[in-house]
Amino acid sequence: MDHSSHSIHNMNKPSTKFSKENKSEFLRGLTSSFPIIIGYFPIAISFGVITLQSGYSLSFAFLMSLFVYAGASQFMAINMLLMQALGIEIIIATFVLNFRHFIMSMSLMNKLKSFPTIKKIPLSFMITDETFAFLSLAKEQDEKNYNLYYIGGLLIGAYSAWVSGTLAGGLLAMVIPPSIGNSMSMGLYAMFIALLIPAIRDQWRMGIVAGLSALLCILITNYINPGWAIVISTLIASFFGSYLIKGE
Amino acid sequence: MRLYMIIIGMAFVTYLPRLLPVFIVDHIKLPKRINLWLKMIPFAALGALIFPGVLSVEEGVPLVGFIGAVVATIAAYFKLHIFYVIFSSILSVMIVKFIFIN
């Protein structure tokens, strides 16, 4: 598509093209999701590549992105599957890791109280760390961003990038030779490190929590199976961590 | 089949916390302590996910994964895009394996 001529075309024909305000709010949301798309797409590609290189099918990767839509948990699930973890361990670990979205959803829904429940049900599925952070920041600048259609556009943009990126990565994995594929399991850990290090840079106390959790996991992993070791270490270390940040 | 049961289970436990507030937001307020605990969980989870797992990237040679982790940490510390962090880390593992194992 020719982007330059497209935008000029739009300039000559302003908002009249979208007679309904809802439609233009939706498109404004889609446009705003661009920075999130830029962030999600490569991670989703990595997820697709790693899942297929780990020996799972394209439909497994695709359906997980479509129905679970929780970045770190999806990588974690593949990781735990490779460790021969039980399904129930993976599901509990996913629950533990994602329960934080409850807080984010509470905060967001609190601000959308005046809107109909039926429309908030699909929206709530697409709440993620990044979309929530974006919406929380946008709020301080502009109250009008608490429009249901604007939020819908933003969330659907991010979700589409995640699902389509997974597909693209899965297809990419099919053309990567196995000799390279053998080293791909490192990619999973690199992804975790890439998520963790910037957070530690911002708040060094998070590093203590992560370090404590890693230490616990190393200690107990010899006695119980790795899946439970991750769940238990996470719960204990984050509990201590909550005292660490109390002073702020 | 087992794999698709896992997807269904994961979908359920990730959607429920996001959906529930739609209905209960007017009726509940979490204690501050629980709030802080929940906030810490992602960081703790990442720590436990990275160690000791990363050391078994190459069976029996923990140094391989360790070097990959160091490279990823340096790349992430200098705020390289996540794509480069993953790429450089995988590349370093390939090089280390090529030099020391082959």
Side-chain angles (χ1 to χ4, degrees):
Chain A
M1 200 210 307
D2 188 345
H3 285 284
S4 55
S5 73
H6 183 72
S7 57
I8 289 167
H9 180 77
N10 268 357
M11 252 187 267
N12 292 341
K13 287 171 117 188
S15 55
T16 52
K17 193 179 168 190
F18 313 109
S19 51
K20 289 181 181 169
E21 198 199 331
N22 291 344
K23 209 170 174 181
S24 79
E25 279 300 305
F26 181 80
L27 287 172
R28 193 168 69 84
L30 269 185
T31 316
S32 302
S33 74
F34 192 68
I36 302 174
I37 290 176
I38 294 292
Y40 276 8
F41 202 68
I43 303 175
I45 287 179
S46 310
F47 176 72
V49 170
I50 288 168
T51 304
L52 269 83
Q53 293 286 353
S54 304
Y56 300 101
S57 68
L58 181 60
S59 73
F60 179 66
F62 173 72
L63 290 174
M64 194 185 275
S65 284
L66 194 67
F67 290 119
V68 180
Y69 187 38
S73 307
Q74 293 183 218
F75 283 94
M76 180 189 68
I78 302 302
N79 193 20
M80 290 176 77
L81 279 171
L82 292 175
M83 292 181 198
Q84 313 291 330
L86 297 173
I88 188 73
E89 293 171 329
I90 296 173
I91 292 166
I92 291 174
T94 301
F95 180 71
V96 167
L97 186 56
N98 277 296
F99 196 72
R100 66 183 189 281
H101 289 146
F102 180 73
I103 307 301
M104 298 176 190
S105 185
M106 284 287 272
S107 158
L108 191 61
M109 291 308 156
N110 194 35
K111 286 154 188 157
L112 297 176
K113 269 180 183 170
S114 54
F115 297 104
T117 302
I118 193 79
K119 288 180 177 164
K120 288 188 286 191
I121 290 173
L123 282 193
S124 70
F125 171 68
M126 292 178 282
I127 296 170
T128 62
D129 295 351
E130 291 77 12
T131 52
F132 173 75
F134 191 95
L135 286 169
S136 307
L137 289 175
K139 177 216 96 187
E140 281 156 31
Q141 297 156 0
D142 205 340
E143 271 303 320
K144 79 178 174 186
N145 283 343
Y146 278 98
N147 171 296
L148 216 50
Y149 291 89
Y150 169 78
I151 293 174
L154 183 94
L155 295 182
I156 287 171
Y159 180 54
S160 311
W162 184 251
V163 175
S164 60
T166 302
L167 267 183
L171 294 171
L172 190 65
M174 292 174 175
V175 298
I176 294 176
S179 58
I180 295 175
N182 284 343
S183 297
M184 291 299 287
S185 62
M186 184 63 222
L188 211 60
Y189 296 105
M191 146 93 198
F192 293 141
I193 291 168
L195 290 174
L196 182 61
I197 297 299
I200 295 176
R201 268 189 71 135
D202 289 345
Q203 290 169 276
W204 60 270
R205 284 185 179 87
M206 304 305 174
I208 296 179
V209 177
L212 177 66
S213 183
L215 199 64
L216 279 171
C217 198
I218 290 170
L219 289 175
I220 64 177
T221 214
N222 293 321
Y223 305 104
I224 51 176
N225 84 44
W228 289 121
I230 290 170
V231 173
I232 293 168
S233 312
T234 299
L235 287 175
I236 295 175
S238 54
F239 181 74
F240 281 110
S242 69
Y243 285 93
L244 215 56
I245 56 165
K246 205 191 170 188
E248 285 170 16
Chain B
M1 196 58 226
R2 173 181 167 252
L3 292 177
Y4 295 99
M5 293 302 289
I6 292 175
I7 289 185
I8 293 169
M10 287 177 72
F12 182 75
V13 298
T14 48
Y15 189 30
L16 199 66
R18 298 191 259 208
L19 177 65
L20 221 51
V22 174
F23 304 103
I24 63 166
V25 72
D26 298 328
H27 313 289
I28 193 172
K29 196 172 186 303
L30 284 176
K32 197 168 175 248
R33 160 98 2 241
I34 303 284
N35 245 319
L36 290 173
W37 191 1
L38 291 171
K39 268 187 191 164
M40 285 293 114
I41 281 179
F43 307 101
L46 286 170
L49 281 168
I50 296 166
F51 285 104
V54 71
L55 302 177
S56 56
V57 162
E58 179 71 20
E59 208 63 51
V61 195
L63 186 68
V64 172
F66 184 76
I67 290 173
V70 170
V71 170
T73 303
I74 293 168
Y77 186 81
F78 288 104
K79 292 185 171 170
L80 291 187
H81 191 277
I82 192 158
F83 216 59
Y84 296 109
V85 176
I86 293 172
F87 181 74
S88 62
S89 177
I90 290 174
L91 197 67
S92 71
V93 163
M94 286 175 69
I95 292 169
V96 172
K97 277 165 77 174
F98 183 75
I99 294 173
F100 292 103
I101 294 172
N102 280 3

